[in-house]
Amino acid sequence: MAAGNDGTNTPEDDDPFGYLYADGQAAGAQRPQGGGYGYPGPAAQPGVPRTSYNQVRTVGERQYGGHAQQPQVPQQQAYGQPHPQYAAPETYPGGGQHRPGPPQPAPRGGRGPNTKGLLIGAVAVVAVVVAGITAAVITNSGDKTNGAGGGTSTGEPGGHVSESPSVTPSQSSQPQAPLPKQDAATLKLGGSAALARDIKGAEGADGAYVTGFNAIGSSVTWQADVQVAGAYRLYVRYAIPAKDANATLTVNDKANSNPIGLKNFISSSDPNLEKNWQTTWAPVDLKQGTNTIKLSCEQGNQCDALFDWLEIRETPPGG
């Protein structure tokens, strides 16, 4: 290769490896002298351009601090001995200290799921559901109780209610004897009132009943004994010719301001008295011992009625 480049050289002169090829050698390419790839070559001359941008370096040659060193040839390892390059990590000094151990279980005593809080929440939900079901059952039971009702075969009361509150017999701690009941035919009769047995349906002895009550001055009087003073009900069984009637009620010589109603509660249209037996009641205030109860036909009454029996009964709670 020429020492310089004056512009007349051929391209192969710029190939640092041209001397390796036959065509390069034919063209006069020579191995570079005094330098190679990575090594300093001849000093640059002023005005002379570089002949190559790549310098060849002999394999294994390296220069440190300007001194070339020869490549080191590794010594042959004895047979059967492990090569350091392939030795296990634990064979190196301190290598055993870094050997990973088996996984350790998680320490106990740490905070796990809040099972206590979940249990308390579940119990609270169950308590709310049970309370709701209990309230619904109580409400339904109350509705059924309040809505239950039944009719009665008796008529509406025809007497007045006492102006002052009275004690009912059920409020007394004393034992109550059976309340009196009397056939009208056995009572004291007054005026045109008389006994008869012609009309069927009377419940008195031998079917007897009181008739002739439709005249003013007619009456039936009863002496009824009670052990406890208080508010009671007087029940009367009667028959009318399918039209309303009434009578004056007197208790212990005190007449009620309103007559006892003997109305056509069964709404019968048949005047046959046998088909028109029915019952009504009126409130009465009785004293302890004997009480005089009187039914009479007075001026202004409609008295066309038959009487079967009279009975004293306790006033129901709330009645």
Side-chain angles (χ1 to χ4, degrees):
M1 188 174 189
N5 189 352
D6 56 1
T8 61
N9 294 336
T10 56
E12 59 269 16
D13 294 334
D14 290 334
D15 187 356
F17 300 100
Y19 69 94
L20 297 176
Y21 308 102
D23 54 351
Q25 294 175 2
Q30 297 180 4
R31 181 173 182 175
Q33 299 295 325
Y37 180 77
Y39 296 88
Q45 301 295 324
V48 179
R50 294 181 59 181
T51 59
S52 174
Y53 292 96
N54 297 303
Q55 298 296 331
V56 178
R57 181 183 65 182
T58 304
V59 178
E61 294 180 348
R62 183 171 298 176
Q63 187 177 29
Y64 296 94
H67 300 281
Q69 295 183 0
Q70 297 298 324
Q72 300 294 327
V73 178
Q75 298 180 358
Q76 181 69 27
Q77 186 70 23
Y79 179 79
Q81 297 296 327
H83 197 282
Q85 183 177 357
Y86 303 103
E90 58 269 18
T91 61
Y92 289 98
Q97 297 178 358
H98 300 285
R99 183 176 182 179
Q104 298 296 326
R108 296 185 179 182
R111 293 182 60 86
N114 192 2
T115 57
K116 183 177 181 180
L118 295 177
L119 179 60
I120 294 175
V123 172
V125 171
V126 173
V128 171
V129 173
V130 172
I133 295 175
T134 304
V137 172
I138 294 175
T139 302
N140 293 336
S141 299
D143 292 342
K144 293 180 180 180
T145 302
N146 295 334
T152 175
S153 61
T154 63
E156 296 296 330
H160 77 285
V161 179
S162 174
E163 296 179 357
S164 60
S166 302
V167 178
T168 60
S170 58
Q171 295 175 329
S172 174
S173 60
Q174 300 179 6
Q176 180 71 5
L179 295 173
K181 178 179 180 180
Q182 194 74 32
D183 292 341
T186 63
L187 301 181
K188 179 182 179 180
L189 305 181
S192 61
L195 297 181
R197 294 181 176 85
D198 301 335
I199 300 174
K200 295 181 180 180
E203 298 176 354
D206 299 328
Y209 55 88
V210 175
T211 187
F213 193 77
N214 56 350
I216 296 177
S218 299
S219 65
V220 293
T221 304
W222 181 26
Q223 300 293 322
D225 294 337
V226 295
Q227 294 184 352
V228 179
Y232 292 85
R233 286 183 176 183
L234 172 66
Y235 284 81
V236 179
R237 188 169 190 263
Y238 63 96
I240 53 176
K243 61 181 181 180
D244 293 344
N246 56 57
T248 299
L249 173 62
T250 302
V251 178
N252 295 324
D253 298 328
K254 181 179 180 180
N256 285 7
S257 58
N258 296 323
I260 182 170
L262 307 173
K263 297 182 179 181
N264 183 19
F265 292 112
I266 62 176
S267 301
S268 174
S269 59
D270 188 350
N272 186 354
L273 293 171
E274 182 179 341
K275 298 180 180 180
N276 292 290
W277 289 102
Q278 49 199 303
T279 305
T280 188
W281 63 270
V284 292
D285 288 332
L286 303 179
K287 64 182 180 180
Q288 183 180 8
T290 302
N291 295 266
T292 301
I293 300 173
K294 179 182 178 181
L295 296 178
S296 61
C297 184
E298 306 294 342
Q299 189 69 34
N301 293 141
Q302 303 295 327
C303 307
D304 192 3
L306 307 179
F307 292 101
D308 187 9
W309 49 254
L310 283 72
E311 181 179 10
I312 299 295
R313 298 181 188 176
E314 291 185 354
T315 300

